[in-house]
Amino acid sequence: MKALLLSMILIGAVSAPAAAEMNSPQASRHVLNLNDVEITALIDDVSIITGYTFILHPDVRRTKVTVMSQSPMSTDDVFQVFLSTLRVHGFAAVPAGRGVYRIVPEQTAIGEAGTGIAGPNSFVTQVLKLNSFSAIEAAQMIKPLVDAQGQVVANARSNTLVIVDYASNMPRLRGLVEGLDASDAAAIETIALRNVPAREMEGILTDLLGNKDDGSSSNFEVAASTTSNAIVVRGDELTVGRAERIAAELDEADPVRDTLRVIRLVNSDGEEIVPILEKIAATMAAQSGPGELEVAGATIAHHIPTNSLVISASPETLLAMERVVEALDRRRAQVLVEAIIVEMSDDTARELGVQFLLSGTEGSDIPFLSTNFSRSAPNLLSLAGAIADPTVFGGSEAFASGAVGSLLGLEGLSLGGTGRSGNTLFGAILTAVESDTNSRVLSKPFNMTLDNGTSELVVGQQIPITTGETLGNNNSNPFRTVQREEVGIKLTVTPRISADDTVRLDIYQEVSSISGAIGTNSTDLITNLRTIETSVLADSGEIIVIGGLIEHTDTIVNSKVPIIGDVPVVGNLFKSEGRDVGRTNLMVFIKPTIVRTREDARAVTSRNYRYIRAEELLRDEKLDSESSIDAFITEVLGDTPPVQ
């Protein structure tokens, strides 16, 4: 009995380690054989083996998988096979807690990739810092090696790469980036110059050691600093060393002899730069210390025919002046300013009036009675006298002349009659007029000017305005003084371009026209005038409104005989009514366009040229393929039309 008990204890002691080994995660005792089954079946088996909980995306259930193994696997091996199977079918397992994973498409999993240590089939994020090689170029080179769902983002400012990919692919990508960065290890040196301008040295070294015309590249770069008169060179150590030796040899010129420069200006006017250089020379001479040698005064001259500056000064002053001239003599931007003027008006007038006349002639006891209200009606007294008897009241043919004169200015409808009965003269006339005047004015004055320059455009006429008139005795030696006034469209603009391409515009806009004469008996004219003077801010190519007027006027004029004119119905025979209604809508818009390059200037020129050529072709049906303006430019200027 004791021997049996001892044997059982020994057997238990031996079998306990074996059971512990089988329960260990590293025990190789699992075999997977699944052929074209739903992926949920695989997930169930893996969940039972590993004890993990899986949360499935809706798209996961529609997938079928095949997994076959011949040799037993441990629990960790089963889980890695499971992750590889998900990766093959476009899914990934994302940790969602202790022992919990979410099965989602790779597009979703890539946005949740962590930066810690993960299995080979999990998405990870790594940030790689490059010291020499460009991060943008490195991103373009390694992008084909990243998984289809992976991402590579380059940050040019910090020269870093952010890579999101499977952990199994990350060592290869990291090794490739490190190799690119090591192969482009470049030396960077700053070379201070005393005599040669930095821009000049930059051009020399670029021509000698930079990229060649045959397409070969030496990865050599030069940048000039005009403020400190120094250059920064970058490249391999051998090329940088050669650049340092060349710069040192060129900069060893004797500064005492190099005191004269002839600088030909390209974009600036020498007369504007000479005063600036004179102030700089005077300031530098005043700043020389007591222990320094006395600095000779600088001589600056402007050669007008070639627009060149001739400068004689000490080397330090000369170098400072060259930097100033280089900064100022740059191509200035231009601004095309287009103003759009829209004016619409509607004037309506209505007038209705009744006049009558009753008068007794010689020997009659009927008194004189008449009404006259209408401002545009004919003279009823002249009409009645001319029709009844031109010689009434002992007059002459003046009645006929007055009647004809009053009828010449008649507008609308006049209905009435006059007559004579014995010694009684009578007449009545009804006048009615209605007028409606519509006008629409659209204009687009535009001009081109330099930045900070003033441009003025005037399109119009000069009309005479009487300022004085004198008649001598008996109308002898009469004379009249006349002053010419401009009438039309005037646009004056001063643009100023800021660093963010915002344009400040100082604008004066004037639109004037002739309204007509003051009256029938005067030759003096009435002119309409509309002006806008303002300063606005606008972006390049933006249309903004700078001003306008919306006006509505309603004028009613009633003339009537007191008391009688207020009587209903009958009172209409003793009054006249007139009404004037006017509506005016005036808007002015502005559009600035910055023109920096030749291509910009060519584009705006082509746009306006196409418009004027299209207008010509529409107006003249006899033109075939080539307009007359095209032929004129070709024949006279000997150039092709400016049309893109």
Side-chain angles (χ1 to χ4, degrees), residues 351-419:
E351 188 169 343
L352 177 64
V354 177
Q355 302 177 80
F356 66 88
L357 170 68
L358 178 64
S359 174
T361 58
E362 183 178 357
S364 174
D365 55 355
I366 297 177
F368 177 79
L369 178 65
S370 71
T371 59
N372 187 358
F373 303 109
S374 178
R375 292 166 291 174
S376 61
N379 191 308
L380 181 59
L381 183 60
S382 298
L383 287 174
I387 294 175
D389 186 358
T391 61
V392 71
F393 300 125
S396 60
E397 297 296 331
F399 273 116
S401 300
V404 173
S406 64
L407 289 174
L408 292 177
L410 184 63
E411 294 182 359
L413 171 67
S414 296
L415 179 64
T418 61

Side-chain angles (χ1 to χ4, degrees), residues 526-606:
I526 299 175
T527 58
N528 300 320
L529 180 63
R530 298 167 179 85
T531 64
I532 296 177
E533 185 173 3
T534 183
S535 296
V536 296
L537 290 175
D539 293 331
S540 178
E542 179 186 11
I543 299 177
I544 63 171
V545 62
I546 63 172
L549 171 68
I550 300 176
E551 183 183 36
H552 179 89
T553 59
D554 196 344
T555 304
I556 300 176
V557 178
N558 288 330
S559 300
K560 60 183 178 180
V561 176
I563 300 175
I564 302 178
D566 296 329
V567 177
V569 181
V570 179
N572 292 327
L573 301 176
F574 297 90
K575 65 181 179 181
S576 174
E577 292 184 351
R579 181 171 184 173
D580 296 331
V581 179
R583 291 183 58 87
T584 301
N585 296 281
L586 172 65
M587 290 290 176
V588 180
F589 302 88
I590 206 79
K591 176 187 176 183
T593 303
I594 299 177
V595 179
R596 297 188 183 275
T597 63
R598 294 182 179 88
E599 290 73 18
D600 295 341
R602 190 178 297 113
V604 297
T605 303
S606 176

